[in-house]
Amino acid sequence: PFLTVYTTLTTAGSRYSRSEDNVYIGTNAHFRTDYGPFTVAHEYGHAFHEIALAGNEGGSCPPEHFLDQPSGYTCAFSEGFADFFAVAVLPVRSGWYTTAIETRSEFHPTADNAEVEGAVASFLYDLVDPANESHDLTAYPGSYIASVFETCRIDQQRANGVDFLTYCFENRIDPTITSNSAFFTYRWYTTPSSFSVTATRPASWNAASVRRAWQWNLYGL
């Protein structure tokens, strides 16, 4: 649907308003740099997540959040999707951001990167970009990623973190993951009992390849 975008000379930041379904682009968007196209596509990604994918269950971000810093599971989930969306739809014009997300340069060396939006974006991007790295064995349609976001349910609740998404992408809840303290260590609820997802998996889908992608991008394994 139609999305209204406002630009302003008095506001430093850019944001998507869920209550208004509007985007506000501030002066820090630097329209003549990589940040401009990336910001516009990022904020549109939030709108796409909210409207086209039946609601964004993420959020709860600190006042400032950054690609390479932990911000919480729900914030990294929401912002990571928007980062991924931006580089997926504008890979060339997003310039530095596409390179950073493709190369996982925003990986935080000591954090649980399920809380780091850049790492979440890198995982999602590896699922759709060409299988061109040793850890990247997947090249799935973007429509599949969107369908998982829209239909994934953990204990009958919509996913609100990348940890919950991995169960739907792998099409399983594996006790060797949920009982392993090395993974998703800051999620207060780590042992889901059920999942459902109605996304049609691509013919090339493989659970082991999905696991390879998230373990590399979120944990460097």
Side-chain angles (χ1 to χ4, degrees):
F2 186 83
L3 178 67
T4 300
V5 179
Y6 296 95
T7 59
T8 173
L9 298 178
T10 59
T11 302
S14 301
R15 64 186 177 90
Y16 167 70
S17 170
R18 294 174 67 174
S19 61
E20 301 170 301
D21 189 33
N22 292 332
V23 164
Y24 295 85
I25 302 296
T27 56
N28 74 341
H30 305 309
F31 292 106
R32 299 177 190 273
T33 72
D34 294 344
Y35 190 55
F38 175 82
T39 297
V40 172
H42 172 100
E43 300 305 340
Y44 190 92
H46 281 311
F48 185 85
H49 196 174
E50 176 67 17
I51 302 301
L53 302 185
N56 178 357
E57 297 300 313
S60 301
C61 290
E64 288 188 293
H65 54 85
F66 303 93
L67 276 176
D68 62 347
Q69 297 297 316
S71 58
Y73 280 72
T74 57
C75 181
F77 171 78
S78 175
E79 298 298 330
F81 175 82
D83 295 337
F84 153 72
F85 185 93
V87 300
V89 301
L90 290 177
V92 175
R93 295 192 64 198
S94 291
W96 179 89
Y97 293 90
T98 299
T99 300
I101 288 171
E102 166 67 10
T103 60
R104 203 199 62 170
S105 67
E106 303 309 292
F107 183 85
H108 194 289
T110 60
D112 178 353
N113 279 261
E115 295 190 297
V116 177
E117 63 177 271
V120 173
S122 292
F123 162 53
L124 296 174
Y125 195 56
D126 269 347
L127 292 180
V128 302
D129 73 342
N132 57 1
E133 299 162 294
S134 61
H135 66 274
D136 180 2
L137 307 175
T138 58
Y140 301 149
S143 57
Y144 168 64
I145 309 305
S147 186
V148 171
F149 268 81
E150 183 177 9
T151 66
C152 178
R153 301 291 185 274
I154 302 298
D155 290 343
Q156 302 180 29
Q157 302 296 316
R158 286 178 60 85
N160 65 356
V162 70
D163 53 337
F164 289 171
L165 274 184
T166 62
Y167 308 137
C168 290
F169 278 124
E170 286 195 9
N171 201 44
R172 61 186 176 183
I173 295 177
D174 186 346
T176 66
I177 296 299
T178 58
S179 64
N180 190 330
S181 61
F183 302 122
F184 310 123
T185 51
Y186 294 105
R187 166 71 83 167
W188 66 271
Y189 171 50
T190 57
T191 54
S193 59
S194 67
F195 80 98
S196 65
V197 60
T198 58
T200 301
R201 294 188 297 277
S204 60
W205 174 86
N206 179 276
S209 297
V210 171
R211 180 167 297 185
R212 182 80 180 96
W214 72 255
Q215 286 190 340
W216 168 258
N217 285 292
L218 303 181
Y219 296 100
L221 300 177

